[in-house]
Amino acid sequence: MSDEQLNADIREANLTYLMLAQNLIRKDKAEAQFRLGISEESADLMAALSPAQLSKIASSSMLLCRFRMDDNVVWSLLTNHTTRKVDNDTTTRLHASILMAGRHAEAL
């Protein structure tokens, strides 16, 4: 993959992420903050962006979204690669969501 193609892919991912985030925020701000792991201030800023501003921000060569699963516990729960398997996949995913939500709350 060339650098040009990589940058084009990053721009596309950024624009898709920003448009999704903006739609989520406009639909239900509190839920969007939880799902996206962003502050109220960031949600307000993203909701107010014009299409031209979205496009300009998306043109960055930096990927705007990031993984919130930054430790082995959450990765293990999400991939179900734990040493102690849980029979109920829903319970495992719920546990991972609770951990990520708690970490988001700590960060705020």
Side-chain angles (χ1 to χ4, degrees), residues 16-26 32 36 38 46-47:
T16 301
Y17 174 76
L18 287 168
M19 290 170 56
L20 172 64
Q22 195 174 59
N23 286 334
L24 286 171
I25 293 164
R26 288 177 177 169
L36 298 168
I38 61 173
M46 290 175 77

Side-chain angles (χ1 to χ4, degrees), residues 11-80:
R11 279 191 301 274
E12 183 178 338
N14 284 343
L15 185 57
T16 301
Y17 174 76
L18 287 168
M19 290 170 56
L20 172 64
Q22 195 174 59
N23 286 334
L24 286 171
I25 293 164
R26 288 177 177 169
K27 181 180 176 195
D28 185 335
K29 186 172 144 186
E31 183 179 347
Q33 286 178 245
F34 170 74
R35 288 180 181 262
L36 298 168
I38 61 173
S39 68
E40 184 173 3
E41 183 181 3
S42 292
D44 290 339
L45 289 169
M46 290 175 77
L49 293 173
S50 70
Q53 289 172 316
L54 284 178
S55 181
K56 184 176 181 179
I57 294 168
S59 295
S60 167
S61 62
M62 295 278 281
L63 196 57
L64 298 176
C65 59
R66 69 177 183 91
F67 286 110
R68 290 193 297 169
M69 301 83 66
D70 56 0
D71 63 40
N72 286 338
V73 174
V74 177
W75 276 110
S76 293
L77 287 167
L78 292 173
T79 60
N80 206 19

